[in-house]
Amino acid sequence: GTGKNLSDAEWTEKEREQARRNYTATEQDRRLVTTVKERFGEAKQAKDRYHEKWAECISFYESDFYRIWKPVLQQLVLNEDVPSWRVRTSDPQVLQLTLTIASKRTAARNITTGQPNNPRDPEDVQAARLATQVLRHLEQVTNRTRNRIKADLLSTIYGTAFLLPFWDPQKKTKIGFEDPNGLARGVEAYAGDLGVEVLDVWQVFPQPVDEWDDLSWAVVARVRPLEWVRENFPERGPLVGPDHQEADLFAAPDREGYAPGDRASQKQPGKTVRVLELYEKPGRRYPKGRWLIVAGDYLLYSGDLPHPGGKFPLVPYVGIPIPGRVWAKGWVEDLVEQQRLLNRTESAIQEHYNLCGRPKYKAPREANLDEDALHDGPGEVVEYDHPYEPDVMAPPPLGGLEN
């Protein structure tokens, strides 16, 4: 009865059967699930036109230059329809330039410190020091430096990243107390602490508006393991089944930027599900805002916004702002064509070099040359019927590119 002797599959089925007995779908649940899915579809359709550019940016950042966009698949796929003699030179400059830009942006950020109201007052000075220590603590527990680096990198590539603060109940923190001797002590405990998650453009689906300030709701879509869903939502989580492959890969660049395979296979299709979270700002109908979580056809959670005062949790972290558009522009977008031109130029030089080493020939059919004649190896004896002598075709000039 404890489940200790059951296999994982048997235990999962046991949980699912228990959840089925305890779950009764209400009309309100169905309406909320429909609301979340409809808003997700509306937001997804509005941002579809950016997919090609974003996919191209991450592809060039990863020095994967020779892919073409397939609108039907909504993917960049490897272009294999090229002659075997074509040279595909890769001289990756985008990666280093992107890292340089992102690191300079990170280094330019200000460091927040506490300042005394009266620099001559020792108590004010001490209070400012303590405030600075608190700020450094928050930076540490929220991984602020690491998150800032990630946000700078993502916004440099795509133009936009998002910060999502949350309360992590699993985090350890130091609890202060006074021992019997009157000394201040600290002990680590699972008291929870503030956390911040950095999301990319593939995970956030905002309401279609012109300016972020006009937005009233947004959907966050993440691909989660089924185990995570069942662990965090024990009442309804066991009812949720896996998504098909498209949904499994949707939230990652593997889905939008590359054909499934390689990294995509690591997501283990069949063991994951897309979890949709709808965050809605406070309004007349919902004074404290609204937070809905849906996976598959099941409503996992429905309640107020989890942040103090019903504050909207998503914060955009932008690169180059574009007026009248929610999505900003990244630096990589302007580097793509320059990288493509560089690759094309170096490839042309290499192809010209290959052509000089093994040039084309003009030969009359009456010369009766062997099929394997005129190779580029030394010492070849070429037999032909006189007077139909083969003639070398000089490669066209490169126009100075060779220099």
Side-chain angles (χ1 to χ4, degrees):
T2 61
K4 292 182 179 179
N5 298 323
L6 298 178
S7 67
D8 289 344
E10 291 172 331
W11 179 246
T12 299
E13 186 56 37
K14 179 181 175 69
E15 286 185 312
R16 184 179 293 113
E17 186 59 35
Q18 181 68 29
R20 286 196 190 101
R21 288 198 295 266
N22 297 333
Y23 173 71
T24 301
T26 65
E27 188 61 32
Q28 175 70 3
D29 287 351
R30 295 190 185 95
R31 283 200 301 266
L32 293 178
V33 169
T34 300
T35 296
V36 173
K37 289 188 174 183
E38 286 179 350
R39 291 192 176 182
F40 172 72
E42 179 186 354
K44 178 183 177 298
Q45 184 177 8
K47 63 182 275 193
D48 275 350
R49 60 195 178 101
Y50 298 103
H51 286 176
E52 180 179 358
K53 184 60 66 177
W54 290 336
E56 194 175 58
C57 287
I58 187 63
S59 177
F60 271 67
Y61 170 73
E62 295 188 353
S63 302
D64 195 354
F65 305 124
Y66 293 99
R67 291 182 179 267
I68 57 176
W69 181 254
K70 293 290 187 181
V72 175
L73 300 175
Q74 285 286 292
Q75 292 175 359
L76 283 176
V77 298
L78 188 61
N79 181 16
E80 298 179 345
D81 187 22
V82 293
S84 59
W85 54 267
R86 276 290 183 196
V87 176
R88 288 178 164 182
T89 300
S90 296
D91 186 358
Q93 301 294 320
V94 170
L95 173 61
Q96 297 304 322
L97 288 171
T98 302
L99 294 177
T100 299
I101 294 169
S103 62
K104 286 182 178 294
R105 295 178 65 205
T106 301
R109 301 291 180 185
N110 295 326
I111 298 177
T112 308
T113 59
Q115 296 296 323
N117 293 322
N118 184 0
R120 296 181 181 180
D121 186 343
E123 291 187 1
D124 267 10
V125 172
Q126 179 61 17
R129 289 174 180 168
L130 291 175
T132 300
Q133 291 178 8
V134 171
L135 290 170
R136 296 292 82 79
H137 168 74
L138 288 174
E139 287 183 358
Q140 183 178 1
V141 300
T142 60
N143 296 314
R144 181 179 177 183
T145 301
R146 185 173 63 184
N147 287 335
R148 180 190 295 171
I149 292 172
K150 182 178 179 180
D152 280 324
L153 179 59
L154 289 175
S155 56
T156 300
I157 296 172
Y158 298 118
T160 308
F162 297 89
L163 305 180
L164 179 63
F166 64 95
W167 183 259
D168 187 353
Q170 302 301 320
K171 273 193 175 182
K172 282 185 175 182
T173 189
K174 283 191 176 182
I175 305 298
F177 68 96
E178 189 175 294
D179 67 10
N181 298 321
L183 298 176
R185 301 290 186 185
V187 61
E188 281 194 337
Y190 286 100
D193 216 327
L194 181 67
V196 176
E197 185 178 3
V198 180
L199 304 174
D200 61 29
V201 294
W202 307 104
Q203 297 170 300
V204 179
F205 297 79
Q207 177 188 11
V209 292
D210 293 332
E211 300 287 348
W212 181 264
D213 292 340
D214 299 331
L215 176 142
S216 61
W217 57 264
V219 176
V220 174
R222 300 183 187 87
V223 174
R224 298 287 198 183
L226 289 176
E227 291 182 5
W228 182 93
V229 176
R230 292 162 184 161
E231 183 70 23
N232 287 274
F233 304 95
E235 292 185 3
R236 300 183 179 184
L239 297 170
V240 177
D243 277 330
H244 55 84
Q245 189 181 51
E246 178 182 353
D248 287 341
L249 304 179
F250 183 83
D254 308 287
R255 170 66 184 93
E256 301 297 343
Y258 301 95
D262 301 329
R263 293 178 303 158
S265 62
Q266 299 173 11
K267 292 188 175 296
Q268 298 179 307
K271 296 184 179 181
T272 57
V273 63
R274 183 171 57 205
V275 178
L276 304 178
E277 297 182 49
L278 171 66
Y279 294 95
E280 188 168 350
K281 287 182 177 180
R284 182 175 56 84
R285 188 174 182 184
Y286 304 103
K288 296 182 179 180
R290 189 163 60 154
W291 183 25
L292 306 177
I293 304 178
V294 170
D297 294 324
Y298 296 95
L299 178 69
L300 301 180
Y301 177 81
S302 172
D304 300 333
L305 284 176
H307 299 75
K311 188 174 182 180
F312 195 68
L314 279 172
V315 180
Y317 193 100
V318 303
I320 305 172
I322 304 296
R325 199 174 89 178
V326 169
W327 303 104
K329 179 181 176 182
W331 282 264
V332 172
E333 185 175 332
D334 290 333
L335 297 175
V336 167
E337 284 305 317
Q338 298 178 54
Q339 177 70 68
R340 186 175 282 128
L341 178 60
L342 177 62
N343 291 344
R344 189 181 299 127
T345 301
E346 294 188 1
S347 297
I349 293 173
Q350 183 61 47
E351 288 176 0
H352 188 270
Y353 176 82
N354 295 342
L355 191 58
C356 290
R358 189 176 182 182
K360 295 182 178 182
Y361 287 83
K362 293 186 296 184
R365 291 186 178 88
E366 292 82 358
N368 293 322
L369 294 174
D370 292 339
E371 289 186 2
D372 59 350
L374 303 175
H375 61 70
D376 56 351
E380 179 186 9
V381 176
V382 179
E383 296 182 351
Y384 63 95
D385 290 349
H386 184 76
Y388 304 106
E389 180 178 353
D391 187 23
V392 176
M393 298 176 63
L398 270 175
L401 288 178
E402 67 273 18
N403 297 322

